[in-house]
Amino acid sequence: MRKASTIIAFSDIAAATRRYTLVGMLGWQDVRQRYRRSALGPFWLTISMGVMIGTIGVVFGQIFKSPMAEFFPFLAIGMILWSFISAVITDGCTSFIAAEGIIKQLPIPLFVHILRVIWRNTLILAHNIVIFPLVLLAVGKPISWIVLISIPGLLLAVVNLTWMALILAILCARYRDLPQIVGSVLQVVFYLTPIMWMPNLLPSRAGIYLLDSNPVYHLLEIIRAPLLGQLPSTMNWIVSLVLALVGWSMAVAVYGRYKRRIAYWL
């Protein structure tokens, strides 16, 4: 039984991966539909993100008495990446629910809707990331070759976010109150993760609990650290890799077992 459910899960995931053109079309259509008849389109998100980063940077930079040359780039890339992570998770919660009509009418792999969420938010991330080099230019901070390490870091983070979105999509299709709970948990995680505050502000003992035990921090660091000219720690990579392996094992097991029930839950 367990082997059969695993085969079901892998078959659907493989079939969805082969439909990458459909995934690309649906994700791009979502972005265009959201900003239809808008002159600037998705760049409205970039503008609002830039204004928020500038405002928070000035205020919290003064509160924490942090050097702006360090704090502004740290805040900018942290906010941009957090926006991507939180959007994938929250959109993942409702990915099957939002695609109810398609799921009930068309025989396409369900995992397509998870990939659709990932691709849509990746497009938005591509718009928002434009802010970061502008911030580096404003504070006069150079870019080194270390930034290339952020590419495998981003891929590993996306691998982790994909299994999270898949599990949450299944659970939220069954339990409709769960998206609100996930949203509340994300708010708490935001304040516990060094995004608006820098890790060096924490006492060493508190840092062990808040940082080392925070998986979101490790997923952020494997992307953020190289972009800031630093190397992620070995622990950042290990935690992210273990999280991916354990998470995907859980996701395949849950998806294989409950895939056939999702259409009845919607």
Side-chain angles (χ1 to χ4, degrees):
M1 179 68 180
R2 185 175 180 180
K3 184 178 180 180
S5 64
T6 302
I7 293 173
I8 290 172
F10 277 119
S11 298
D12 189 84
I13 292 171
T17 305
R18 290 193 295 268
R19 306 288 291 273
Y20 61 89
T21 54
L22 176 63
V23 172
M25 183 192 69
L26 291 174
W28 183 248
Q29 183 182 9
D30 289 341
V31 176
R32 291 185 61 186
Q33 186 68 23
R34 184 173 178 179
Y35 297 97
R36 198 173 77 179
R37 298 184 180 179
S38 171
L40 295 178
F43 282 104
W44 277 116
L45 282 175
T46 307
I47 294 170
S48 61
M49 177 67 71
V51 171
M52 183 169 60
I53 290 171
T55 305
I56 294 175
V58 171
V59 174
F60 281 83
Q62 296 298 321
I63 292 174
F64 296 136
K65 295 181 173 57
S66 300
M68 286 299 170
E70 296 180 9
F71 182 66
F72 249 127
F74 178 87
L75 173 69
I77 194 59
M79 292 293 294
I80 292 168
L81 292 176
W82 172 256
S83 175
F84 172 68
I85 291 171
S86 60
V88 169
I89 293 174
T90 53
D91 289 356
C93 289
T94 57
S95 56
F96 289 154
I97 298 172
E100 177 182 356
I102 298 177
I103 291 173
K104 291 183 176 180
Q105 295 179 31
L106 298 176
I108 63 175
L110 296 183
F111 193 68
V112 162
H113 305 294
I114 303 298
L115 295 178
R116 175 184 183 179
V117 166
I118 299 295
W119 175 239
R120 178 174 70 232
N121 285 289
T122 300
L123 290 173
I124 296 173
L125 173 64
H127 285 85
N128 288 340
I129 202 68
V130 174
I131 299 171
F132 184 64
L134 297 178
V135 171
L136 292 180
L137 186 63
V139 299
K141 191 168 183 177
I143 299 177
S144 67
W145 289 103
I146 297 177
V147 298
L148 296 177
I149 300 175
S150 64
I151 297 174
L154 177 61
L155 293 175
L156 182 54
V158 168
V159 167
N160 277 288
L161 290 173
T162 304
W163 72 256
M164 293 178 193
L166 177 58
I167 290 180
L168 287 172
I170 297 168
L171 294 177
C172 291
R174 179 66 180 86
Y175 304 103
R176 296 302 177 93
D177 292 329
L178 198 55
Q180 286 72 29
I181 298 175
V182 172
S184 299
V185 171
L186 283 175
Q187 289 181 356
V188 175
V189 172
F190 174 75
Y191 290 111
L192 292 177
T193 306
I195 297 170
M196 292 195 304
W197 49 272
M198 302 185 74
N200 57 16
L201 296 175
L202 290 175
S204 58
R205 183 172 296 180
I208 293 174
Y209 293 105
L210 284 178
L211 299 183
D212 294 347
S213 60
N214 185 347
V216 176
Y217 166 70
H218 297 288
L219 292 178
L220 269 175
E221 275 301 286
I222 59 176
I223 311 171
R224 177 171 62 186
L227 291 173
L228 296 175
Q230 304 164 6
L231 290 174
S233 68
T234 303
M235 178 173 285
N236 295 148
W237 288 112
I238 291 174
V239 172
S240 300
L241 285 168
V242 171
L243 195 64
L245 293 173
V246 174
W248 268 106
S249 299
M250 294 171 48
V252 167
V254 172
Y255 190 43
R257 182 172 181 178
Y258 297 107
K259 175 185 174 293
R260 294 175 178 174
R261 305 184 190 181
I262 292 173
Y264 296 98
W265 290 341
L266 297 175

